Amino acid sequence: MIKIASHEDIEELSTLRLMQQKDDWGDLYPNKDEELYEVTKKYLEKHLNNDIHLFVEVINNKIVATCGLQVIEYMPQCIGNGIKGYICDVFTLNEYRKKGIQTNLIKNVLEYAKENYITDLSLSSDNSDAIRIYQKFGFKQDELIMKLEIK
């Protein structure tokens, strides 16, 4: 079941964030689990469902995947309303990978973005599997930055 995370999910989300960071950073991870957990928890308490929305897949009452959408508002320009999004905190537990979960989460993020007049999305990734998924949705790669204009 896909849903937008709520404040009741913050502790579980903070734990998953640690796992995601360890996965991304590998041997370079600085082993500051308690500190990262606490700052993540404080951040989510302040920002969750305000300017960051975390779409999650829940299986057996457990969050197994996350895909975040950071909403950033800039001064409007003549060609756009200034509302942009940044996809972040994309993570799936190992045993649930390659099952289409992230594809479905990204579809939900895109629908939400369109409904909320977000004019373009960007993200950073150097993961080749993830990049293939993003490209299927029309993201274009420019080094580590990918963007998608929503029309």
Side-chain angles (χ1 to χ4, degrees):
M1 168 186 80
I2 292 177
K3 70 172 193 162
I4 296 178
S6 68
H7 281 264
E8 291 78 33
D9 300 314
I10 287 177
E11 289 185 10
E12 190 174 3
L13 292 168
S14 298
T15 299
L16 286 169
R17 178 71 174 164
L18 286 175
M19 296 170 74
Q20 179 261 336
Q21 290 288 288
K22 286 179 182 181
D23 195 52
D24 281 356
W25 286 81
D27 292 338
L28 298 175
Y29 181 77
N31 290 323
K32 295 183 176 184
D33 289 359
E34 190 174 320
E35 182 181 333
L36 179 57
Y37 177 88
E38 288 302 321
V39 297
T40 299
K41 188 175 169 186
K42 280 184 180 179
Y43 176 86
L44 291 173
E45 287 169 351
K46 181 178 179 181
H47 293 276
L48 187 63
N49 297 328
N50 290 318
D51 58 359
I52 189 165
H53 307 278
L54 289 169
F55 293 76
V56 298
E57 175 72 31
V58 179
I59 298 175
N60 297 325
N61 295 317
K62 175 181 168 183
I63 298 174
V64 301
T66 61
C67 184
L69 174 62
Q70 182 93 41
V71 179
I72 305 159
E73 291 191 50
Y74 297 94
M75 180 70 79
Q77 297 181 7
C78 64
I79 58 169
N81 65 4
I83 304 173
K84 299 181 184 229
Y86 184 77
I87 293 178
C88 58
D89 203 35
V90 177
F91 179 69
T92 304
L93 294 173
N94 283 335
E95 60 268 31
Y96 295 94
R97 292 181 181 173
K98 301 199 183 284
K99 297 182 185 301
I101 292 173
Q102 277 303 330
T103 297
N104 289 330
L105 287 172
I106 293 167
K107 283 179 188 175
N108 278 263
V109 167
L110 293 177
E111 287 173 20
Y112 181 92
K114 287 177 186 176
E115 291 168 3
N116 288 277
Y117 308 102
I118 296 171
T119 57
D120 64 72
L121 297 175
S122 62
L123 59 92
S124 298
S125 182
D126 61 357
N127 179 305
S128 58
D129 290 335
I131 289 169
R132 279 192 289 279
I133 293 170
Y134 303 135
Q135 288 173 331
K136 287 180 185 176
F137 285 102
F139 284 86
K140 306 284 187 247
Q141 189 170 7
D142 178 15
E143 295 182 76
L144 293 180
I145 303 291
M146 300 177 77
K147 293 184 180 181
L148 171 69
E149 283 189 18
I150 299 173
K151 299 181 182 200

